[in-house]
Amino acid sequence: MAPFFPVAVEATGMNETRHRVLDALSDGPVSGPALAEDLGISRSAVWKHVEALRAAGFQIESDDAGYSLAEVPEFGGEAVEYGLDAPFDVEYHDSIPSTNARARDLAAGGAEDVVVLADEQTGGRGRLDRDWVSPSGGIWLSILFRPDVPMAHAPVYTLAAAVAATRAAREAGVEATIKWPNDVLVSVTSAGTSSADDDDVLVGGEERKLVGILTEMEGEADRVSWVVVGIGVNANVDPDSLPSEANPTSLQAVRGETVDRRLFTQRLVETFDTLRQTPESVLDEWREYATTLGKRVRVETPTGVVEGDAVDVEFPGRLVVETDDGRQTVSAGDCEHLRPV
Ligand code: BTN
């Protein structure tokens, strides 16, 4: 008979007891018998948790005083869950075709509040059914959740993801900005450094793509069943290994050194978690980081081209464009920045 998992995340998410073992070790040293008594489990169960944590890359030292946590792994599901201040299980894969596809499968099985995270994707998908090249060293993740909102409100979660990724990039020292609706860019000057200052764009800087976001959902018009927000962060990857048409850059290329992917992922997920609870606060934060507002834009929408000055964004994510024929709002499309207004 096939093994039964109530929801698939049970198979890989870190369980409550292991969290408590890890917390105790980080306050260690603590002896095996003391830990067993504190947690109400056997000594051999303690030992199994310690071995499983070592296998996941945690460095756990043991001496006469007991066990203590010496180092947390650079990346991985248990590493990201450790110290994560957001109520998500993390399902990690070294390599997977697409975290969005996996999150959709989990959604079909009834899961919620799961982050599917991968080091490499072999069949990553982008917007407009494009490929999304996802080599090892990136942060490829999909957040599955079930908000109690009408389908029409769901685009706000794409903007929330862009804000979360931008904030995490800035905390990592990279002056990222958001291009409507969902690209996170870095303005790279001719000297190769990053800058959020528009003047640099004019004097030869160019906007390069750091993060892409692909949101998928299912539900009835009046209520979403699930949303999967897929976020691809070019973290510790060489931009030359990515398709040049996308004009890519990476956190590593801009910083000149690798980024701590565990901390970056935690910040991203935590900010997203806060924003998803207050969708009405997303637009103000988005405006703060937007590079599109104040620029002349050309947007290819499903119904034609809209060209004009991008003047605002309105709930749940429509771009407001001042055209020669008056104000138009655009819900979806490919946006090109022409020049500052
Ligand atoms: C875009 O075209 O800009 C969107 C790219 C979205 C890529 C991410 S990587 C994680 C998740 N899994 C996928 O297959 N796609 C998204």
Side-chain angles (χ1 to χ4, degrees):
M1 198 169 46
F4 171 72
F5 297 115
V7 287
V9 290
E10 289 287 319
T12 50
M14 183 159 37
N15 69 33
E16 183 58 32
T17 310
R18 191 157 310 156
H19 270 295
R20 294 175 65 201
V21 170
L22 207 39
D23 285 345
L25 298 184
S26 65
D27 295 337
V30 57
S31 74
L35 199 48
E37 194 177 326
D38 271 8
L39 302 182
I41 58 176
S42 68
R43 288 185 203 183
S44 85
V46 167
W47 184 79
K48 279 183 189 153
H49 282 297
V50 168
E51 285 309 299
L53 287 165
R54 283 181 170 145
F58 289 86
Q59 258 187 46
I60 296 166
E61 288 173 351
S62 91
D63 58 21
D64 291 348
Y67 296 113
S68 51
L69 179 63
E71 210 174 297
V72 177
E74 187 266 330
F75 202 45
E78 305 203 323
V80 170
E81 280 191 14
Y82 173 63
L84 177 68
D85 190 12
F88 288 98
D89 286 316
V90 180
E91 182 187 287
Y92 174 77
H93 301 263
D94 284 329
S95 182
I96 192 172
S98 159
T99 56
N100 264 35
R102 173 65 184 150
R104 286 198 311 268
D105 286 349
L106 290 174
E112 69 178 308
D113 289 347
V114 182
V115 174
V116 182
L117 177 68
D119 175 51
E120 174 194 63
Q121 293 185 123
T122 53
R125 306 305 305 161
R127 289 176 63 231
L128 307 173
D129 210 25
R130 294 177 185 136
D131 291 338
W132 179 262
V133 176
S134 323
S136 171
I139 300 172
W140 322 118
L141 69 93
S142 300
I143 305 176
L144 162 63
F145 61 110
R146 297 178 183 273
D148 187 9
V149 299
M151 287 286 258
H153 290 189
V156 77
Y157 299 113
T158 302
L159 275 67
V163 169
T166 303
R167 192 179 297 167
R170 290 188 176 204
E171 280 181 26
V174 172
E175 282 302 301
T177 56
I178 306 171
K179 179 177 139 196
W180 183 88
N182 55 7
D183 285 347
V184 176
L185 308 178
V186 186
S187 171
V188 180
T189 65
S190 43
T193 53
S194 77
S195 167
D197 183 345
D198 274 342
D199 288 349
D200 286 320
V201 179
L202 291 174
V203 295
E206 56 172 331
E207 293 176 318
R208 289 178 170 256
K209 184 157 165 170
L210 185 70
V211 177
I213 299 165
L214 175 66
T215 301
E216 302 180 78
M217 72 201 82
E218 197 173 274
E220 308 290 325
D222 61 337
R223 205 175 153 266
V224 162
S225 168
W226 53 259
V227 178
V228 168
V229 178
I231 307 169
V233 184
N234 299 334
N236 297 331
V237 298
D238 179 356
D240 290 343
S241 68
L242 304 173
S244 55
E245 313 86 79
N247 209 14
T249 189
S250 71
L251 291 170
Q252 182 178 10
V254 175
R255 286 161 47 97
E257 60 178 350
T258 57
V259 70
D260 184 327
R261 291 188 294 168
R262 178 174 76 91
L263 286 183
F264 189 99
T265 308
Q266 289 179 331
R267 291 299 153 266
L268 193 165
V269 170
E270 286 165 2
T271 303
F272 184 82
D273 179 49
T274 305
L275 292 172
R276 73 172 170 153
Q277 294 168 49
T278 52
E280 63 289 347
S281 71
V282 171
L283 291 194
D284 274 345
E285 305 230 21
W286 190 94
R287 286 186 190 99
E288 199 184 309
Y289 294 143
T291 175
T292 301
L293 300 184
K295 285 211 168 81
R296 183 105 191 142
V297 294
R298 183 176 188 280
V299 190
E300 274 184 43
T301 79
T303 53
V305 172
V306 175
E307 189 170 321
D309 301 338
V311 290
D312 201 7
V313 64
E314 61 183 36
F315 192 87
R318 288 181 294 265
L319 186 67
V320 183
V321 183
E322 197 73 65
T323 74
D324 289 346
D325 303 324
R327 224 161 233 236
Q328 290 193 36
T329 56
V330 187
S331 299
D334 245 4
C335 174
E336 189 188 349
H337 289 164
L338 299 176
R339 59 179 166 74
V341 179

